[in-house]
Amino acid sequence: MFDILRQYIEQMTASALPEEEVQLIRNSFTEKKLRRKQFLLHEGTVCKYMSFVVKGAMRLYSIDEKGNEHVVRFGLEGWWMSDRESFTMLTPSRYNIDAIEDCDLLIITNEALTRLRHASPAMTCLSLVLDERHYFATQKRIESSISYTAEEKVLHLMNTYPQFLQRLPQNMVASYLGLTPETLSRIRKQIQAK
Amino acid sequence: MFDILRQYIEQMTASALPEEEVQLIRNSFTEKKLRRKQFLLHEGTVCKYMSFVVKGAMRLYSIDEKGNEHVVRFGLEGWWMSDRESFTMLTPSRYNIDAIEDCDLLIITNEALTRLRHASPAMTCLSLVLDERHYFATQKRIESSISYTAEEKVLHLMNTYPQFLQRLPQNMVASYLGLTPETLSRIRKQIQAK
DNA sequence: TAATCGGGATGATATAGATCAAGTGAAAGG
DNA sequence: CCTTTCACTTGATCTATATCATCCCGATTA
């Protein structure tokens, strides 16, 4: 399980990890399995773990006063999941994280991550690279949410993350796009027809 | 002008800058004044500068095929402005940045910033702090854009950035929220009536 | 003193997308 | 194996917001 993370880090930082650093990193993470529908984070609690998704699919979502769920983000293989604000600031989260499919995770506490960042140059580098990519991706997502029609949003998603529509429940993808499931269903049909 | 940046850095990193580092930082930035409606970045060109807004107001926006402008982000005093993806990757930008009011800026090139980050611990720390804050802020903005009604979006903006509605043209704020100027105008009236 | 212009307000109307409701098929769970 | 649930589709209707068209006002500019 850890080998996947190791490969991932070497790829993202474009450098081989010295054996010493591999051990350091390995010892900082814990394996965790989550069954479908199990929670990694409950609203109102502090997000104790940052988790690396080795296998499976997760989502981070909020629930409004009317009880509607709003999917803010998905996590598939090779993605990180946590409510970063809660994780970093140790404040109670307004979000939930649960497993959409059975998951294999590698989790790390805030404390361990902080220590690791100081001890491992590769982890420092990884953080920078990920923050940068996240910045680019969210800017595009914001732009699409303020400028695009529903159909454009779906087409854009099909280009950016084609896996989402193939793999994840459509009602969750609809929520992620800020649409209703009915609208997403109709628009897909419409797109298909071309 | 530079003193503002210095204070800002000391505040954000919660530590006093040694004089040597102050000089290093000062020498990395250039002063630039921009008159209202002048551009810092034109779509199709590479974003050469990251700029710190000492005074004034700017916006980063895209233009769609129909010629509509979409404001992705504003920059007021104490904010940074650039198309980070273009700035970092040296790729042509799809965005424009121009001045909404006359601006005083401190600008830095990618090369100088990279050098500075290596030479100045404070700048390294600043980058981390800013990335983190940006992460928190964009997650909330995405959540609001997928979950809120128009009225909720306006109320949320009034809580988060009350300056925007007082200081910036309403049509630009509407665009930032993904609404039409007419809708924003009506909703404000409606909110006022309570 | 106009004449112009850009931002904002407001009314009338149109429409994209939401909501409500029903039916279907597949899969989860006892 | 049944049966209960859930995701998805489709149709009918509703409504929030967009669009279109004027009008207004204050700030430039001629």
Side-chain angles (χ1 to χ4, degrees):
Chain A
M1 204 152 137
F2 177 76
D3 276 347
I4 308 257
L5 177 58
R6 178 191 175 152
Q7 281 167 35
Y8 167 87
I9 294 172
E10 292 186 329
Q11 191 201 322
M12 297 297 282
T13 61
S15 61
L17 286 173
E19 194 51 38
E20 185 185 281
E21 212 171 325
V22 170
Q23 286 313 321
L24 207 61
I25 298 173
R26 184 196 301 272
N27 292 333
S28 303
F29 284 89
T30 311
E31 295 192 5
K32 185 175 177 86
K33 286 182 185 273
L34 225 53
R35 295 224 148 253
R36 201 167 98 90
K37 300 200 175 178
Q38 280 188 323
F39 284 77
L40 186 71
L41 169 67
H42 272 106
E43 183 177 347
T45 67
V46 172
C47 185
K48 295 175 82 158
Y49 306 107
M50 169 92 73
S51 65
F52 178 76
V53 183
V54 175
K55 190 164 174 312
M58 318 181 74
R59 62 178 175 151
L60 177 150
Y61 62 100
S62 63
I63 303 180
D64 66 24
E65 330 77 52
K66 287 166 209 145
N68 301 313
E69 298 175 352
H70 302 283
V71 176
V72 174
R73 197 146 47 82
F74 291 114
L76 304 181
E77 287 83 7
W79 297 51
W80 295 87
M81 273 305 253
S82 77
D83 173 11
R84 188 164 169 188
E85 181 164 354
S86 170
F87 178 78
T88 308
M89 314 289 282
L90 308 174
T91 51
S93 178
R94 296 181 302 107
Y95 302 96
N96 300 279
I97 299 178
D98 67 14
I100 302 173
E101 307 169 0
D102 293 353
C103 288
D104 293 345
L105 309 176
L106 287 167
I107 64 176
I108 184 169
T109 62
N110 187 19
E111 203 197 2
L113 182 59
T114 305
R115 245 187 289 115
L116 191 55
R117 278 206 188 109
H118 283 102
S120 156
M123 285 302 286
T124 308
C125 174
L126 179 65
S127 298
L128 294 174
V129 170
L130 290 181
D131 276 354
E132 197 130 80
R133 291 161 65 110
H134 181 266
Y135 192 111
F136 302 164
T138 51
Q139 174 151 316
K140 281 177 195 131
R141 184 145 173 235
I142 286 171
E143 190 194 352
S144 86
S145 84
I146 64 171
S147 355
Y148 291 176
T149 62
E151 185 180 359
E152 287 167 341
K153 284 176 191 173
V154 175
L155 288 168
H156 183 247
L157 185 78
M158 286 173 157
N159 281 321
T160 316
Y161 303 115
Q163 333 85 289
F164 284 11
L165 275 165
Q166 285 152 23
R167 179 166 174 185
L168 304 168
Q170 248 180 160
N171 57 350
M172 293 184 191
V173 177
S175 168
Y176 174 85
L177 290 174
L179 305 174
T180 57
E182 293 95 329
T183 296
L184 178 56
S185 170
R186 280 185 257 260
I187 285 175
R188 289 189 77 183
K189 191 182 168 189
Q190 204 177 298
I191 291 173
Q192 206 97 35
K194 294 177 187 173
Chain B
M1 202 151 137
F2 176 75
D3 277 348
I4 308 256
L5 177 58
R6 179 191 174 154
Q7 281 167 35
Y8 166 88
I9 295 171
E10 292 186 331
Q11 191 202 322
M12 297 297 281
T13 61
S15 61
L17 285 173
E19 193 52 36
E20 185 185 282
E21 213 171 324
V22 171
Q23 285 313 320
L24 207 62
I25 297 173
R26 184 196 301 274
N27 293 333
S28 302
F29 284 89
T30 311
E31 295 191 5
K32 186 175 176 86
K33 285 181 184 275
L34 224 54
R35 297 220 145 257
R36 201 168 97 90
K37 300 201 175 178
Q38 280 189 322
F39 284 77
L40 186 72
L41 169 67
H42 272 108
E43 183 177 346
T45 66
V46 172
C47 185
K48 295 176 83 159
Y49 307 106
M50 169 92 72
S51 65
F52 178 76
V53 182
V54 175
K55 189 164 176 311
M58 318 182 71
R59 62 178 176 151
L60 178 149
Y61 63 100
S62 63
I63 302 180
D64 66 24
E65 330 76 52
K66 287 167 207 143
N68 301 312
E69 297 174 354
H70 302 282
V71 176
V72 174
R73 196 146 47 82
F74 291 113
L76 303 181
E77 288 83 7
W79 296 51
W80 295 87
M81 273 303 255
S82 77
D83 173 10
R84 188 165 169 186
E85 181 164 354
S86 170
F87 178 78
T88 308
M89 313 291 281
L90 308 174
T91 50
S93 178
R94 295 181 302 106
Y95 302 97
N96 300 280
I97 299 178
D98 66 16
I100 302 173
E101 307 169 359
D102 294 353
C103 288
D104 293 345
L105 308 174
L106 287 166
I107 64 176
I108 185 170
T109 62
N110 187 18
E111 203 196 3
L113 181 60
T114 305
R115 247 188 287 115
L116 190 56
R117 277 204 188 111
H118 283 103
S120 155
M123 285 302 286
T124 307
C125 174
L126 180 65
S127 298
L128 293 175
V129 171
L130 290 181
D131 276 353
E132 199 131 79
R133 292 163 63 112
H134 181 265
Y135 193 110
F136 303 165
T138 51
Q139 175 153 315
K140 281 177 194 132
R141 183 146 174 233
I142 285 171
E143 191 195 352
S144 85
S145 85
I146 64 171
S147 355
Y148 292 177
T149 63
E151 185 181 359
E152 287 167 341
K153 285 176 191 173
V154 175
L155 288 168
H156 183 247
L157 185 77
M158 285 173 157
N159 281 321
T160 316
Y161 302 115
Q163 335 84 287
F164 284 11
L165 276 166
Q166 286 152 22
R167 178 166 174 186
L168 303 169
Q170 248 182 161
N171 58 351
M172 292 183 193
V173 177
S175 168
Y176 174 86
L177 290 173
L179 306 174
T180 58
E182 293 95 330
T183 297
L184 177 55
S185 170
R186 281 186 256 260
I187 285 176
R188 289 190 77 183
K189 190 182 167 188
Q190 205 177 294
I191 291 174
Q192 206 98 34
K194 297 181 185 172

